[in-house]
Amino acid sequence: MMPLTARLLPLTAAAALLSPLALTSPATAAPAHYACGSTPPDLDPVQGTGKANGVNMRTGSSTSCSSRGLAHLSHTINYHCWTLGQDGSTWTYARNLSTGYAGWMRDDLLQDNGSSIHCPR
């Protein structure tokens, strides 16, 4: 699994190439996070597990989004892709193969830091 810094490096390099106007203009700046109720495509065949019992699977990449269900250590999680959340952390959208629930999980709550494939916007 690719470390968090390696996943964010291409985004940092791309941001450095943008003009300061593009970085500050609300008309051109797309939000990095997925809003509550968002479902990205399944782009990653990798499976993993959580780091704890009772990890929320949320409707968006934010703790302010409601939980769709919980993942436990014994559950197998199928990753779809990752994005940057409102809190600055990376989040992976995943389906819990043990329960059928799907939702956003913070990568620091996943054993291998989640998906290595960035969600499209």
Side-chain angles (χ1 to χ4, degrees), residues 33-58:
H33 73 281
Y34 273 68
C36 301
S38 300
T39 303
D42 186 356
L43 303 174
D44 193 342
V46 173
Q47 296 179 354
T49 60
K51 285 185 180 177
N53 282 317
V55 175
N56 283 302
M57 301 184 78
R58 298 190 178 275

Side-chain angles (χ1 to χ4, degrees), residues 11-104:
L11 296 175
T12 305
L17 296 174
L18 296 174
S19 73
L21 180 58
L23 290 175
T24 58
S25 171
T28 59
H33 73 281
Y34 273 68
C36 301
S38 300
T39 303
D42 186 356
L43 303 174
D44 193 342
V46 173
Q47 296 179 354
T49 60
K51 285 185 180 177
N53 282 317
V55 175
N56 283 302
M57 301 184 78
R58 298 190 178 275
T59 62
S61 58
S62 170
T63 56
S64 65
C65 296
S66 62
S67 177
R68 289 184 171 158
L70 301 175
H72 297 283
L73 289 170
S74 62
H75 294 171
T76 301
I77 309 298
N78 178 46
Y79 301 147
H80 289 201
C81 57
W82 70 272
T83 193
L84 194 62
Q86 287 181 320
D87 59 0
S89 296
T90 58
W91 292 66
T92 290
Y93 189 86
R95 176 166 305 282
N96 186 330
L97 299 179
S98 302
T99 65
Y101 293 123
W104 291 96

